[in-house]
Every structure is written in structure tokens, then in C-alpha cells.
Amino acid sequence: MTDHTPDAVFHNGRFTTLNRAQPTATAVAVKDGRFIAVGSDTEVLALAGSGTRRIDLQRRSVLPGLFDNHTHVVRGGLNYNMELRWDGVRSLADALDMLKRQVAITPAPQWVRVVGGFTEHQFVEKRLPTLAEINAIAPDTPVFLLHLYDRALLNGAALRAVGYTRDTQAPPGGEIVRDAAGNPTGLLLAKPNATILYATLAKGPKLPLDYQISSTRHFMRELNRLGVTGVIDAGGGNQNYPEDYEVIQKLAEANQITVRLAYNLFTQKPQQEKEDFLKWTSSVKYKQGDDYFRHNGAGEMLVYSAADFEDFRVERPDMPPQMEGELEEVVRVLVQNQWPWRLHATYDETISRALDVFEKVHRDTPLTGIHWFFDHAETISDRSIDRIAALGGGIAVQHRMAYQGEYFLERYGAKAAEATPPIKRILDKGVKVSAGTDATRVASYNPWVSLAWMITGKTLGGTQLYPQRNLLDRETALRMWTENVAWFSNEEGRRGRIAVGQLADFIVPSKDYFSVPEDEISFLTSLLTVVGGRVVYGEGEFAPHDDNPLPPAMPDWSPVRSFKGYAAWGDPEGAGRHSLHPARYQAVSSCGCASACGLHGHDHASAWGSAAPASDLKGFFGALGCSCWAV
């Protein structure tokens, strides 16, 4: 006789299910990783047996788990414990202090790496550090700082470590900036591609396997802390299959994956792309794996000649004339093997040429039933959207414009930026569309930044990119991060909602997503994250339920030990003090740098919030007898 007793019941919550037949609930029951009941406390608790785990959600709001349609967890996980993350840090002064503290504990020959996830526009100072500032902080420890995919800053020690001298030639498409004597200054520019940035970073030390396992687990836990329960991994340059997937495979075998991962295979050798996919389609079965680690097709790079570049500081690159022929060869291999694919494409000029290829292949071998799609598509045209619809494809958008919208405005103007990408029009035309981050280099892995960007239309620097008519309401934006993504992993009806039969992935956000002020959406985190009915993250009142405690990050000098992750949340009164609370950020942002209090610096919010009698701002001395009152 089958036992239908649930493994766990979560009750006394306020569930937004995204199931239109049952939009709300207060309790759910889970068995074997899936929802077996969604309803009222009375209905669901009645199902519990003596061995059922019961968790009281304390009337908190609950959402389906967030599902990133495009990220690089495999690559990011291998390096996470080595990287000093400036994601979400709102003051360059704080970021440089983080750098100084990390330099002090990083042993030779290791580097200090700040590898993307931030933009200069997020800083109050609205600038990057200078090479002089970095060299003053780190005269002997190599420092590599990657800003988006437009440039890297290397201090003198890093230049020595990678061996760049006046005789070093830059690869095609990149520039080593030099002084009057011809010596490298430490500034590397992607003009117009990022090869020089990838190649230089690859020269740094790597972690041994056991440390890479620790690193990947800590990265997944950081994603869980932000409410991410699943991702589609888009591969990456210099990411080798199957070698670089060994860590994920070991975690899968040990049942230690806490973020469901569907992976696409990214071509590895220019001019040998067809050979890559012939080999893989004969040795890898589409969808092989399980609900936690599974193959998802090809891309985001199919052929190098079809990869445009998203650096809006430089002119749009034209794809070479051989693009169509090379792309067609690969697409025919994929269609014959019924493999879906994704294709990186920033500009409509690239998309329209790729569609010529897809339509040609479709005439011979229909693409019907294959879940293929374009990634990014910032400047896609209505005509291209219609062509995608006719072929049954999709569009996966990411929040890259939140990080470099200002650069787009400078080059193309406000009118051109009004719908980049045109999410509202894509939805209106009925084309499959979902959202993600493209983390960890050109943008942060924080999903709430993406949600805030779609809802407010603002960059991280506060620039209003989009008019009201192009903004999404909160429910639509949430669906972009949940049920909509399921088509892109070919899992429609299996995940993305809180509904009977679907995978039991859900989160308890730190505040109610539907009522928190718009400017606070990007500051949300998760208090409780559940994947397959298992509590993979819990904090505060939910910490006792956490089934996924981790040992400290390895190695012992890892930046993750000090700063943890996004916005330096592990150092809330230090590096994270201006970054973790909207009021504090707004205070430092509004005061600029001209009115620092001698006692509190720019941390006026702490003084204003003090319970001391002197905290009356209207008093003669203001808060604690300091000068914060003068702001």
C-alpha cells in the first residue's frame, strides 16, 4: 500500500502560488520533493503523520523559488572563494577598504581578484579606482580588477605575475594601454572583444579540487540566501566539458546540490565548432541527468563568428561574412539530434542574420518542438520578434542594462534606450520570454536587482532608462523569474509555481515583495529557501530549520570568510554599512562626499537612528552631539 503521508508540511504562511486556479494558500505538503497538497492550514495539517516535519512560516509571505535563465554557476563556483565581490557595494571608499583588508591577508603567490558583478555607476563616487590607488594599496600583491567586459585594471605586481612588458603584443580585438615609454600601465581594454581579459585572468592561480568543491557549495548557498533555487548555466569561454564539470558532478553524487542546474554546452575551439557538437551529440544525451543536474542543449556560443559583444562603450561589431555558413553547419547538427540551443546576441543586426540561418534550416528540417532561443537581445526589432514567433523560438533577457545603461545612453541616446530589451512588446506578441542575470562577470547574480530593473526601469546608478509604458508590474516580473523560465529548460508544468505535482521549491523573502517600496526591491533576500522540500537556507527565526550548514570557506584567506557575498553582507558594520539598507544608501548617496561627519563619516543613518536623547535632529548639536544634523 502506498504511503501518502507527507515528508514535510509548511503552514501558517501567505503563499503566492502563481497558479491561476488557486492563487493563494496558507500551507503546503511535500513528499518526495514535490508538492502533494496546497491549501489551508486545516486541510494540509490534517495530512501530517507522526514522522512529518512541521515548519511554521509565522504568517510570512511565500513565493515560488527564483530560477535564473542565464548564469555561469559552473565557472563561478570554481572561483567564488577566491574572488573579492564588489557586487552591491555602494561606495568606492568601502570597496577600496575591502581591497586593502584582503591584500593584507592574501599570501603569495595568490592574487586578489575583483572579477565583475559591479559597475562604477553603483558607487556614490561614480568612478572606478585609479591604478595609482590600487598600487598604493597593493605594491606587492597581484590585483586583477575586471569591470564588466570592457576593461581590467592590473597593478604592477599583477603585470609582473602575468609577464606583460613593453614587448608583449595584445591579441586581436584587445588593447594593452601603454605609457609614453611603451610600458604597460596596467589598463587592458576590450576593443572590441574580451579575449584579452579572459586570457589574462586565466594566468592566475587556481584552487585545488577540494577547495573548488567548497567554493561551489558556498556560491550555491549565497544564491540560496538570495532566493535562487534553480539556474540554467550558459557555459562559458575557456570552460571545458567534461573536465570543468567534475565538481558539479561530485556534488550531485553526494546529494549536495542546493541550486538545480540545467547546463548548456558552449563551443570551445574556434574553427572547430562543428566538431565539438558532433562529438557531444554522439556522447551526451539531451536531458541526461536528473532534476538537480541535467543537460539542456547547446550554447550560448555556437560558433565564434556569430558572437557579438555587449560593450556599449565601443561601436557595434559587425559579424564576419562567414558567420552564416559556419552557424548553419552547427545548427543542422543540433536539429538532426533534436538538441535545443541558445545563442548570445546583443544586437538586432546579429539576430536578423542568425534568423536567416534558422529559417533556411527550418525549410529543410522543421524546428517544431525544439526549445531554441536568443539570449540578451537588447536591441531586437519588432520584425525579428515576429520571425522568432513564427519559428516557435524564445528570448531570454538579462539585466545587463542595469549595469551599463549609462553607456548605452551616451552612445545611442535616450530614445533608443527606451526598450532595451523590449520585454513588454515580446510579452504582448506572445513569444516565450523569461529573465535572468548573466552573472557573474557582466552583472551580479542577485535576482532582486533584475526584478527591480524590470519594475522600475532604473539602472543601478539610478538612471531612469524606460518610460512607464515599458515597465512590468510585480506579478509579471515574478513570472519572468519563475514559471516563464520552465519553457527554457523544457520543464513546463513541472516547476515555477506552487502547485500540486510541481517541484517543491519556494522562498520566504525578507519583506513582502508585493508591498515593499520599489526602491527596496533590490535589497530583498530570503529568510528561508526550500528546494525539493529540503531547507537549504534559513536565517533568523528560521535558522534552526537549516539543513545545509557549511564549513568555513576554503582557503582560510578566502574573501568569503570576511565579506560573505553580495553587498559585503558578512561585514554589516564595515564594508557593507552603506550597502545593506536603503536608508543608509540613500543617506550616503544624497549627502555626496562633501559633508562627512567627523564622528560617523557618511553613516548619518546610524546616528539618526540612535536611541540616545541627543538623536533629535532638530536639537542644537543633532545626533550624539555630532554634525550629522548639518546634512
Side-chain angles (χ1 to χ4, degrees):
M1 182 175 177
T2 303
D3 181 7
H4 296 291
T5 304
D7 300 322
V9 166
F10 299 83
H11 62 98
N12 193 28
R14 294 182 292 113
F15 288 80
T16 296
T17 68
L18 297 184
N19 177 7
R20 290 184 171 88
Q22 186 186 20
T24 62
T26 62
V28 297
V30 177
K31 187 174 181 61
D32 297 331
R34 296 179 181 273
F35 295 113
I36 62 168
V38 178
S40 68
D41 284 5
T42 302
E43 294 167 334
V44 175
L45 283 168
L47 304 175
S50 59
T52 299
R53 185 182 193 185
R54 297 169 173 84
I55 294 181
D56 186 338
L57 299 177
Q58 303 181 31
R59 295 297 299 157
R60 292 245 180 209
S61 63
V62 187
L63 305 176
L66 303 180
F67 186 9
D68 193 329
N69 74 11
H70 181 134
T71 188
H72 297 275
V73 166
V74 175
R75 180 183 69 195
L78 298 179
N79 301 294
Y80 180 72
N81 280 3
M82 287 195 295
E83 295 177 354
L84 181 68
R85 304 302 307 182
W86 283 359
D87 303 43
V89 175
R90 295 295 190 153
S91 162
L92 178 59
D94 290 338
L96 289 174
D97 183 61
M98 293 171 68
L99 180 64
K100 182 177 181 180
R101 289 164 59 187
Q102 187 58 40
V103 165
I105 64 170
T106 300
Q110 297 294 335
W111 300 7
V112 176
R113 312 166 203 231
V114 181
V115 186
F118 76 100
T119 170
E120 62 180 314
H121 299 289
Q122 76 193 39
F123 297 140
V124 170
E125 297 89 341
K126 303 296 183 186
R127 69 174 180 89
L128 290 174
T130 65
L131 285 164
E133 287 171 322
I134 297 172
N135 277 301
I137 289 171
D140 302 311
T141 302
V143 173
F144 178 97
L145 189 152
L146 178 70
H147 181 251
L148 307 172
Y149 269 150
D150 70 5
R151 63 195 54 216
L153 302 177
L154 281 69
N155 67 343
L159 285 174
R160 294 191 293 273
V162 299
Y164 288 176
T165 68
R166 62 183 301 155
D167 299 321
T168 304
Q169 296 300 308
E175 179 182 348
I176 299 175
V177 176
R178 303 173 190 273
D179 63 19
N183 296 307
T185 64
L187 176 61
L188 308 180
L189 297 177
K191 297 178 68 175
N193 67 61
T195 301
I196 190 171
L197 309 182
Y198 307 141
T200 306
L201 181 59
K203 294 176 182 289
K206 294 178 173 57
L207 293 174
L209 180 62
D210 56 339
Y211 285 32
Q212 290 178 339
I213 290 172
S214 164
S215 182
T216 301
R217 292 191 71 193
H218 275 275
F219 186 30
M220 286 187 170
R221 184 165 175 84
E222 168 72 350
L223 293 173
N224 294 151
R225 184 186 72 87
L226 292 168
V228 177
T229 60
V231 301
I232 307 177
D233 188 286
N238 297 320
Q239 184 170 313
N240 299 310
Y241 181 85
E243 295 84 355
D244 287 334
Y245 292 72
E246 180 183 4
V247 167
I248 298 289
Q249 185 62 53
K250 286 184 177 295
L251 292 176
E253 292 166 358
N255 194 30
Q256 291 179 336
I257 288 183
T258 62
V259 175
R260 301 183 192 276
L261 193 150
Y263 62 93
N264 287 70
L265 292 180
F266 185 114
T267 190
Q268 295 170 5
K269 304 179 188 72
Q271 306 304 312
Q272 297 181 46
E273 298 96 336
K274 182 179 178 181
E275 288 73 15
D276 275 342
F277 289 109
L278 282 170
K279 178 180 67 176
W280 288 336
T281 52
S282 65
S283 62
V284 179
K285 184 179 179 182
Y286 171 53
K287 287 190 175 182
Q288 73 177 33
D290 59 22
D291 290 331
Y292 285 87
F293 181 43
R294 184 176 56 77
H295 175 246
N296 195 57
E300 64 182 296
M301 182 89 80
L302 298 182
V303 293
Y304 280 82
S305 57
D308 65 9
F309 191 50
E310 69 281 0
D311 180 4
F312 299 128
R313 281 182 153 180
V314 299
E315 292 182 1
R316 176 185 61 81
D318 283 317
M319 299 300 95
Q322 73 269 23
M323 166 189 157
E324 283 84 352
E326 294 178 353
L327 183 59
E328 181 182 340
E329 284 191 335
V330 168
V331 171
R332 288 192 183 278
V333 170
L334 299 176
V335 173
Q336 287 162 9
N337 288 276
Q338 291 292 289
W339 270 35
W341 68 86
R342 62 194 308 160
L343 183 64
H344 167 109
T346 303
Y347 299 100
D348 188 62
E349 289 82 355
T350 308
I351 292 168
S352 61
R353 287 178 61 182
L355 283 169
D356 291 342
V357 173
F358 299 168
E359 288 167 348
K360 180 179 179 182
V361 173
H362 178 70
R363 288 192 290 270
D364 297 332
T365 312
L367 308 185
T368 308
I370 298 177
H371 290 203
W372 64 271
F373 55 95
F374 287 103
D375 276 303
H376 316 313
E378 276 85 358
T379 70
I380 191 170
S381 66
D382 284 359
R383 170 67 180 137
S384 291
I385 297 170
D386 291 340
R387 293 171 71 188
I388 292 169
L391 289 175
I395 302 169
V397 303
Q398 293 82 38
H399 67 324
R400 302 187 313 183
M401 287 290 287
Y403 289 80
Q404 50 177 322
E406 286 84 357
Y407 301 141
F408 191 96
L409 286 171
E410 288 172 13
R411 181 166 292 277
Y412 299 108
K415 186 67 177 175
E418 285 187 351
T420 48
I423 300 174
K424 205 71 173 291
R425 289 209 301 276
I426 297 168
L427 285 165
D428 289 345
K429 288 174 176 288
V431 174
K432 300 295 184 182
V433 60
S434 63
T437 62
D438 198 8
T440 57
R441 295 179 180 174
V442 299
S444 177
Y445 50 75
N446 189 336
W448 304 104
V449 176
S450 169
L451 286 158
W453 164 72
M454 290 187 288
I455 293 163
T456 69
K458 294 179 182 177
T459 68
L460 272 182
T463 301
Q464 186 73 46
L465 284 176
Y466 312 134
Q468 185 66 38
R469 66 180 180 275
N470 290 336
L471 304 182
L472 302 187
D473 63 80
R474 297 191 194 201
E475 181 178 326
T476 302
L478 181 61
R479 289 182 188 275
M480 290 277 290
W481 262 89
T482 50
E483 67 170 8
N484 287 20
V485 189
W487 182 89
F488 293 78
S489 62
N490 216 339
E491 296 175 287
E492 288 178 292
R494 300 184 64 244
R495 64 190 299 180
R497 302 176 188 169
I498 297 173
V500 171
Q502 295 217 5
L503 296 173
D505 304 344
F506 60 91
I507 63 173
V508 175
S510 51
K511 294 182 179 179
D512 186 341
Y513 163 74
F514 288 101
S515 63
V516 70
E518 280 189 351
D519 286 345
E520 294 188 27
I521 292 172
S522 66
F523 291 86
L524 293 176
T525 61
S526 177
L527 299 178
L528 181 78
T529 301
V530 176
V531 177
R534 175 189 174 200
V535 178
V536 297
Y537 182 81
E539 71 171 60
E541 60 264 47
F542 299 114
H545 301 298
D546 193 337
D547 297 328
N548 184 42
L550 295 187
M554 299 164 61
D556 57 8
W557 50 265
S558 170
V560 175
R561 290 202 177 195
S562 302
F563 305 111
K564 301 297 186 186
Y566 189 85
W569 70 269
D571 189 23
E573 295 307 319
R577 65 188 180 278
H578 297 133
S579 307
L580 297 171
H581 307 288
R584 290 192 181 187
Y585 168 59
Q586 289 160 6
V588 71
S589 179
S590 63
C591 76
C593 291
S595 53
C597 160
L599 179 60
H600 298 101
H602 289 291
D603 195 3
H604 308 294
S606 289
W608 296 344
S610 169
S615 63
D616 178 9
L617 302 185
K618 296 180 180 179
F620 181 75
F621 287 108
L624 305 177
C626 71
S627 58
C628 281
W629 62 275
V631 175

